[in-house]
Amino acid sequence: EAIIQSKLGIFWASVAGVSHLDQDLIRKMKDSGCYALTWGIESGSDRILQAMNKEYTAHQAGEVLRFSREAGIVNYVNFITGFIHETRGDVNDTVRFIHENAASINSVRVFDFDLVYQSPIFLAPEKFGIREICVDDDSYAGFKRTRIRFNEINGLAWKAKLKQQARARQQ
């Protein structure tokens, strides 16, 4: 509100999260100079969003994207494929989400799920349904991109996970 009142005439873009944004706040963001937002929607599957501990549903994400488009803000949307225990049905939900919200999405980027060293999932793998983490400590110092391999408990082994991610990116 202070930026709007001061009439600075600035233009800005940022990353945004679905939680805690409503139509009124998005309108204020636009009025203050916001022209583009990058959203980490991550999935169109409510099951996967819940597993990721997101505080929103796919429906709520679509609604916020619509509010943003209606305000005149450009929407760049990021998704993650191959999250732990993701199924073809979950991928189909994400594809359906993209189609149903296409009018509100200017660009889509898809990233493979990567287990991050020392993340909550890495530190408590069983809680998230994974086992047999394999880290090459000699080459992982934060400078070289090394994928941390893992197998899902009662799910996919690492090589099958890589194939799943490739299929989902294609879809």
Side-chain angles (χ1 to χ4, degrees):
E1 290 176 350
I3 293 172
I4 295 168
Q5 291 173 2
S6 65
K7 299 181 182 175
L8 294 175
I10 62 172
F11 297 98
W12 59 275
S14 187
V15 296
V18 172
S19 301
H20 314 297
L21 286 181
D22 60 23
Q23 193 169 16
D24 184 52
L25 183 55
I26 291 171
R27 172 53 63 193
K28 287 178 185 177
M29 291 166 66
K30 174 63 178 176
D31 292 345
S32 73
C34 179
Y35 66 90
L37 293 170
T38 299
W39 302 89
I41 302 294
E42 318 305 14
S43 179
S45 163
D46 286 335
R47 190 182 75 79
I48 294 297
L49 291 172
Q50 185 176 15
M52 291 177 168
N53 294 321
K54 297 296 181 179
E55 298 177 349
Y56 57 85
T57 64
H59 175 77
Q60 290 167 321
E63 196 170 61
V64 169
L65 288 173
R66 183 175 51 82
F67 295 156
S68 182
R69 174 187 48 87
E70 289 172 352
I73 297 173
V74 173
N75 293 313
Y76 303 108
V77 183
N78 295 335
F79 294 94
I80 294 174
T81 188
F83 191 74
I84 304 159
H85 294 292
E86 182 180 63
T87 66
R88 286 185 182 179
D90 297 317
V91 173
N92 290 340
D93 288 347
T94 299
V95 170
R96 187 173 22 264
F97 175 90
I98 293 168
H99 286 292
E100 289 173 356
N101 293 284
S104 299
I105 299 173
N106 297 87
S107 176
V108 168
R109 291 187 302 180
V110 179
F111 298 92
D112 290 339
F113 170 74
D114 274 329
L115 184 58
V116 176
Y117 189 69
Q118 297 297 312
S119 68
I121 297 173
F122 182 91
L123 295 173
E126 295 83 16
K127 178 181 174 187
F128 291 90
I130 63 174
R131 60 182 168 83
E132 297 177 11
I133 294 174
C134 181
V135 179
D136 179 359
D137 288 321
D138 292 332
S139 66
Y140 193 85
F143 301 105
K144 180 179 176 184
R145 187 183 183 320
T146 302
R147 294 196 75 183
I148 300 172
R149 298 183 304 274
F150 63 89
N151 294 323
E152 297 175 344
I153 296 171
N154 299 320
L156 298 178
W158 180 246
K159 287 185 180 182
K161 174 61 66 180
L162 293 176
K163 289 178 183 176
Q164 176 201 43
Q165 289 175 331
R167 276 192 313 270
R169 278 192 313 277
Q170 236 178 1
Q171 193 173 342

